[in-house]
């Protein structure tokens, strides 16, 4: 069966950004998030051997949720200035690696991930630090949840989901 890797770009880039010490080029361009993300993608590609990979990103534009509730994510801190210039460079590198990036105005990365996962007939592996993705777990979709940093990952499948999420 074919395998599709879907990475929650915003979730994982934040983990990479905060999980790796500040790195810059000689001229001062921040690169720690790029470095971390490329390492993650490479490591996951080798470990999971998907037939294709896609990374979903949020856009700065408001989503339909913001239009329904003006305070949606109102307490979230803005993106750090050192992270912002790394995203276009990361997307360019991902494209060169054969990883498609997807973003849609009015939607969050979560919406894109869910749409892709539920509209394919292939084994789908989602890498995210967002528990909202747990609702996508089924016989064809598993979630690799980044618990801490970028290397501590817990795998949720249809077979182990109830056990892993049961209240003690």
């Amino acid at each position: 069966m074919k395998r599709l890797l879907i990475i929650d770009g915003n979730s994982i880039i934040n983990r990479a950004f905060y999980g790796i010490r500040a790195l810059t080029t000689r001229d001062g361009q921040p690169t720690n998030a790029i470095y971390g993300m490329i390492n993650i993608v490479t490591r996951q590609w080798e470990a999971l051997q998907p037939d294709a990979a896609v990374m979903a990103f949020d856009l700065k534009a408001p989503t339909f949720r913001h239009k329904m509730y003006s305070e949606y994510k109102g307490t979230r801190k803005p993106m750090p200035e050192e992270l912002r210039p790394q995203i276009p460079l990361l997307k360019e590198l991902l494209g060169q690696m054969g990883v498609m990036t997807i973003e849609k105005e009015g939607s969050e990365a979560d919406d894109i991930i869910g749409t892709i996962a539920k509209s394919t007939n292939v084994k789908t592996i989602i890498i995210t630090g967002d528990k909202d993705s747990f609702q996508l777990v089924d016989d064809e979709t598993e979630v690799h949840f980044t618990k801490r940093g970028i290397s501590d990952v817990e795998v949720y499948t249809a077979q182990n989901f109830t056990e892993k999420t049961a209240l003690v």
Side-chain angles (χ1 to χ4, degrees), residues 29-81:
Q29 166 70 41
T31 58
N32 58 314
I34 294 169
Y35 175 78
M37 285 293 281
I38 296 303
N39 279 332
I40 291 166
V41 171
T42 302
R43 204 173 320 130
Q44 294 303 316
W45 193 283
E46 290 172 358
L48 302 170
Q49 299 186 348
D51 295 288
V54 63
M55 189 173 295
F57 284 97
D58 295 339
L59 289 175
K60 188 174 178 157
T63 68
F64 68 91
R65 290 177 186 88
H66 291 97
K67 293 174 184 171
M68 292 172 58
Y69 178 61
S70 63
E71 297 302 312
Y72 180 69
K73 294 191 177 180
T75 60
R76 182 168 282 185
K77 293 187 295 186
M79 180 181 292
E81 285 306 313

Side-chain angles (χ1 to χ4, degrees), residues 121-163:
N121 291 321
V122 299
K123 175 76 173 171
T124 303
I125 303 159
I126 299 168
I127 299 176
T128 184
D130 188 343
K131 290 182 179 180
D132 288 347
S133 292
F134 287 177
Q135 64 189 309
L136 302 172
V137 172
D138 63 20
D139 288 333
E140 289 185 344
T141 304
E142 58 188 51
V143 171
H144 292 216
F145 181 70
T146 56
K147 295 180 358 177
R148 231 175 315 120
I150 54 177
S151 58
D152 187 5
V153 176
E154 186 151 4
V155 177
Y156 290 82
T157 65
Q159 293 72 33
N160 72 16
F161 187 81
T162 303
E163 175 188 325

